[in-house]
Amino acid sequence: QVQLVESGGGLVQAGGSLRLSCSASGRTFSSYTMAWFRQAPGKEREFVAAISGSTYYSDSVKGRFTISRDNAKNTQYLQMNTLKPEDTAVYFCAGGLRGSVYQRGSYDYWGQGTQVTVSS
């Protein structure tokens, strides 16, 4: 079993930056594909970014967000720059992979989420 805990969310002005962290328990962290999803009020949870041997990004964040991981610390990160009000959402860390990196249903493990609010 893997447990994921996100941190680093908060309130930031448009154009600002935040870095989210996701700490994982378990010894098999390095073998998992890790990802970030987000869910805005009234909307479906959507893919943001993923990392395995490669990195993957949604078109809406490409060039602004950077996903990375430190396997020695069992932690993945999401550096978010040039934030926009439309980035406001609860951000979820996900791990594992049984299919497409872009699909919510492909991941076995989820964190509880961290709120990111971008003011205009």
Side-chain angles (χ1 to χ4, degrees):
Q1 190 73 6
V2 174
Q3 291 186 325
L4 304 175
V5 179
E6 303 97 335
S7 61
L11 173 64
V12 64
Q13 288 188 332
S17 298
L18 281 174
R19 188 176 81 155
L20 305 183
S21 299
C22 172
S23 296
S25 64
R27 296 180 296 171
T28 58
F29 172 82
S30 62
S31 68
Y32 290 128
T33 294
M34 300 299 296
W36 292 94
F37 284 72
R38 67 186 182 186
Q39 188 166 15
K43 294 189 177 181
E44 295 289 321
R45 192 171 300 187
E46 66 175 4
F47 172 81
V48 174
I51 184 168
S52 54
S54 301
T55 56
Y56 308 83
Y57 296 96
S58 69
D59 288 342
S60 62
V61 308
K62 195 174 298 182
R64 298 188 299 122
F65 291 9
T66 302
I67 189 171
S68 62
R69 66 192 297 167
D70 184 337
N71 289 335
K73 296 182 177 179
N74 277 11
T75 302
Q76 72 154 342
Y77 305 96
L78 186 68
Q79 178 66 44
M80 305 185 295
N81 298 329
T82 318
L83 282 161
K84 304 176 181 180
E86 52 263 44
D87 294 318
T88 296
V90 178
Y91 283 70
F92 296 89
C93 173
L97 187 65
R98 292 179 291 107
S100 168
V101 298
Y102 303 103
Q103 298 298 320
R104 174 183 177 181
S106 298
Y107 296 89
D108 293 316
Y109 306 107
W110 291 86
Q112 82 288 350
T114 185
Q115 177 71 47
V116 172
T117 303
V118 184
S119 63
S120 58

